[in-house]
Amino acid sequence: STTKYQYDLVVIGGGSGGLAAAKEAVELGAKVAVLDYVTPSPRGSKWGLGGTCVNVGCIPKKLMHQAALLGEAIHEAVSYGWQIPNQESVSNDWESLRTAVQNHVKSVNWVTRVELRDKKVEYINANGYFKDPHTVVGIMKNGDEKEVTAENVLIAVGGRPRYPDIPGAMEYGITSDDIFSLEKAPGKTLVVGAGYIGLECAGFLNGLGYDATVMVRSVVLRGFDQQMANLVASEMEHRGVHFVHQAKPKKIQKQEDGRLMVDWVDSEGQVHQDVYDTVLFAIGRQALTPQLKLENAGVQVVPETFKIAAEHEQTNVPNIYAVGDVLHKRPELTPVAIHAGKLLARRLFGNSTAKMDYENVATTVFSPLEYGCVGLGEEQAIAIYGEQYIEIYHAFYKPTEFFIPQKNIKHCYLKVVVLRNENERVLGMHFIGPHAGEVIQGFAAAIKCNLTFPILKSTVGIHPTSAEEFTRVMITKRSGKDPNPQS
Ligand code: FAD
Ligand code: NA7
């Protein structure tokens, strides 16, 4: 199919979105090359092929979360009759955990590499930039440049963690790029930022036995339903995570003993000081477009975010596309990048017209007590439809398995956001509790099928589960009735 160009498709960025598009395109007969290159973090962390999710995102995060859950389970097990000698002295060995996590990551890197070879996707380990709309130059590790030409180019470069512009941040701080491969145990840790990455990191660190503090600038989990967000934070606090609200770091200095002295400012402008072993910034991510020399291709970015606004993944330059975290106002999630990448490849090379639907994408915050959701939050629904048109069904519930170890049930809560007309169409579902992702995924499919509240109510539950509570919820916020479990 290739005529004047070497490739039908060149992909810049071998992460979730780029690899999905590349593999689908070769399946459909296209000739494809992928450039992937990881610039080491300021602390020197680097990793292999596969992008953020596999190396420094979803996968290591979920494994460390699981490690924390297991620690919790050891203590619960005693109440279920397990004889655990010296359970008070049970502790997690950071080096063992880190090694196990990194070994898994490396095995995934390897499988990815083999898969590309088998599928005949050409993999070029080089940092790419545009020479013109059809020419991409890759800078190899040794500095050599390799030029490739393509009919179509896909930008899938994702992003990297941001650092605040304060003294000591870059020198002494770490980010999610470093935490999962950290040589030494993190110790007492300050997590700056209260987005989902900040909360997840603070949550698993606390669960692993480290003193963890979250510094919150404005609100917790901005963009998520705020009632749910505050319950997530309350449960973390209940488990020993500290929260400093309305605060910002000002300066980090290394003390003689190697620990980090952090100056921070409260809402009144008062400066405080605290000492930590580790300071982890989770203040959001920066798209990796600035180094792409997009001006050589004429691709425009949104000036505030350096992200690319693309309708149906097509940039303002017709033969140049973009998927994944680099897209403006799209959810920064792996399955979103993968799905959009696959559909794009099918449209380019498979005569398909199927477009990516970014609405009602489910997600989960892997906080110690997880929070899964799909669709609109309460505030969003009210902002879009008006309060009088929205019904909120809600309930606190008691997971059966929480009784024997007498686990805290105060934050096990769910709500269903419903449109009062259109047969009570379900606009959003929110769940805090164990296995929240597993609970929410199927409901996301139901919402895609235009789930209504009467259909939810006519669904027979699976007993005894937490997910069945969605089939039992009946109290509206409007009624003012007590949403606590009656038995
Ligand atoms: P990436 O996966 O970031 O891949 C981009 C690749 O391009 C990288 O390898 C990069 O090094 C490379 N690259 C960049 N510039 C160039 C260049 N000029 N030339 C060559 N290569 C280049 N998502 C979920 O769905 N669930 C989760 O639980 C989850 N947890 C997360 C936890 C953390 C700590 C983080 C940081 C992210 C998490 N995410 C999660 C988000 C998820 O990782 C991203 O949405 C996803 O990886 C985005 O894929 P992408 O293809 O856009 O980019
Ligand atoms: P998010 O969700 O953008 O969260 C960043 C958090 O960091 C958020 O709580 C911010 O507070 C806070 N923040 C941002 N800048 C600063 C500075 N300079 N100082 C202190 N605190 C700050 O990022 P994540 O890394 O959790 O997630 C990455 C992406 O995944 C995110 O964009 C989502 O779309 C999905 P704020 O609320 O702005 O006051």
Side-chain angles (χ1 to χ4, degrees):
S1 58
T2 304
T3 47
K4 57 199 252 223
Y5 304 110
Q6 289 167 278
Y7 295 96
D8 299 308
L9 175 68
V10 161
V11 180
I12 312 178
S16 309
L19 290 177
K23 288 188 277 188
E24 191 70 13
V26 281
E27 288 287 326
L28 295 166
K31 195 170 175 223
V32 181
V34 175
L35 282 77
D36 190 62
Y37 189 86
V38 180
T39 307
S41 76
R43 279 284 288 254
S45 306
K46 48 180 193 272
W47 51 89
L49 180 61
T52 303
C53 171
V54 166
N55 294 285
V56 288
C58 333
I59 301 302
K61 179 274 297 292
K62 182 80 186 285
L63 297 176
M64 293 221 169
H65 172 61
Q66 176 66 10
L69 292 181
L70 287 171
E72 204 182 317
I74 291 169
H75 296 284
E76 283 168 42
V78 175
S79 61
Y80 278 100
W82 288 95
Q83 308 282 298
I84 299 173
N86 313 321
Q87 62 146 322
E88 291 320 310
S89 71
V90 170
S91 68
N92 186 269
D93 178 54
W94 177 263
E95 281 82 12
S96 308
L97 171 60
R98 182 210 60 214
T99 304
V101 168
Q102 289 304 318
N103 285 345
H104 176 68
V105 167
K106 286 187 185 105
S107 77
V108 179
N109 294 149
W110 176 251
V111 169
T112 308
R113 189 80 177 251
V114 170
E115 207 183 1
L116 290 188
R117 201 175 302 153
D118 288 351
K119 292 205 163 185
K120 307 212 159 33
V121 175
E122 183 166 346
Y123 164 54
I124 305 168
N125 184 205
N127 204 357
Y129 68 86
F130 281 94
K131 189 174 166 192
D132 63 53
H134 291 280
T135 311
V136 172
V137 182
I139 312 167
M140 325 277 272
K141 235 178 226 139
N142 62 7
D144 287 357
E145 295 203 338
K146 186 184 165 93
E147 221 173 85
V148 289
T149 60
E151 174 90 47
N152 302 288
V153 181
L154 175 60
I155 301 169
V157 293
R160 291 292 286 270
R162 288 197 295 116
Y163 286 81
D165 187 15
I166 57 166
M170 282 264 202
E171 292 93 314
Y172 308 125
I174 66 165
T175 68
S176 55
D177 280 356
D178 311 297
I179 185 73
F180 306 111
S181 59
L182 212 59
E183 277 299 311
K184 285 212 194 84
K188 182 182 172 191
T189 302
L190 173 66
V191 175
V192 180
Y196 83 87
I197 294 172
L199 293 194
E200 289 176 344
C201 290
F204 72 65
L205 289 174
N206 174 70
L208 293 172
Y210 304 105
D211 184 299
T213 301
V214 181
M215 189 167 281
V216 189
R217 179 171 73 172
S218 57
V219 296
V220 165
L221 291 178
R222 181 166 43 79
F224 287 87
D225 184 291
Q226 281 299 295
Q227 186 194 7
M228 304 308 283
N230 288 323
L231 287 168
V232 166
S234 298
E235 174 64 21
M236 287 177 66
E237 215 155 9
H238 176 83
R239 290 165 184 239
V241 177
H242 313 287
F243 283 83
V244 187
H245 291 279
Q246 308 292 316
K248 277 191 290 189
K250 188 176 161 27
K251 181 165 79 178
I252 305 175
Q253 288 163 288
K254 197 169 203 152
Q255 303 186 145
E256 262 169 27
D257 61 4
R259 303 187 81 201
L260 302 174
M261 166 75 83
V262 179
D263 290 19
W264 57 274
V265 195
D266 67 19
S267 56
E268 259 102 65
Q270 291 275 81
V271 180
H272 307 256
Q273 285 191 323
D274 280 302
V275 177
Y276 298 91
D277 298 300
T278 300
V279 177
L280 190 156
F281 294 108
I283 64 165
R285 297 173 63 81
Q286 172 75 58
L288 280 179
T289 50
Q291 55 187 16
L292 287 177
K293 302 196 182 170
L294 289 174
E295 62 283 2
N296 292 345
V299 176
Q300 282 157 11
V301 297
V302 178
E304 295 79 34
T305 59
F306 297 103
K307 287 192 173 192
I308 296 171
E311 182 139 1
H312 307 309
E313 295 77 41
Q314 189 173 33
T315 71
N316 62 301
V317 180
N319 74 306
I320 302 178
Y321 300 83
V323 294
D325 284 6
V326 81
L327 286 178
H328 182 61
K329 292 220 160 123
R330 298 301 190 199
E332 295 182 9
L333 295 168
T334 271
V336 170
I338 292 175
H339 206 76
K342 267 192 193 160
L343 293 182
L344 174 66
R346 287 178 200 163
R347 291 198 304 277
L348 287 176
F349 305 109
N351 297 316
S352 163
T353 54
K355 307 228 166 76
M356 174 68 188
D357 179 7
Y358 291 94
E359 296 297 308
N360 294 325
V361 173
T363 187
T364 290
V365 180
F366 292 92
S367 40
L369 194 61
E370 299 166 6
Y371 165 36
C373 60
V374 55
L376 298 181
E378 187 172 338
E379 299 90 343
Q380 290 170 314
I382 288 170
I384 294 170
Y385 294 97
E387 184 149 28
Q388 68 272 34
Y389 295 106
I390 295 297
E391 201 76 85
I392 305 292
Y393 291 91
H394 67 157
F396 286 95
Y397 68 95
K398 300 177 180 175
T400 310
E401 62 276 23
F402 278 33
F403 280 93
I404 286 180
Q406 294 185 357
K407 286 181 68 161
N408 184 36
I409 51 153
K410 251 179 80 183
H411 307 114
C412 292
Y413 177 76
L414 56 83
K415 71 172 155 191
V416 185
V417 180
V418 164
L419 198 55
R420 293 181 88 187
N421 43 26
E422 286 185 41
N423 223 346
E424 289 202 293
R425 185 157 64 85
V426 176
L427 300 175
M429 294 176 79
H430 302 261
F431 173 92
I432 294 179
H435 311 294
E438 318 293 345
V439 169
I440 284 292
Q441 182 69 84
F443 289 115
I447 285 182
K448 274 217 168 270
C449 303
N450 293 313
L451 177 66
T452 63
F453 193 69
I455 294 175
L456 184 63
K457 293 297 294 175
S458 73
T459 305
V460 177
I462 303 170
H463 193 62
T465 66
S466 298
E468 74 172 318
E469 302 294 338
F470 271 125
T471 67
R472 293 157 42 108
V473 63
M474 57 185 190
I475 290 171
T476 63
K477 274 202 175 172
R478 189 173 266 107
S479 74
K481 286 190 186 145
D482 181 8
N484 282 293
Q486 298 310 310
S487 52

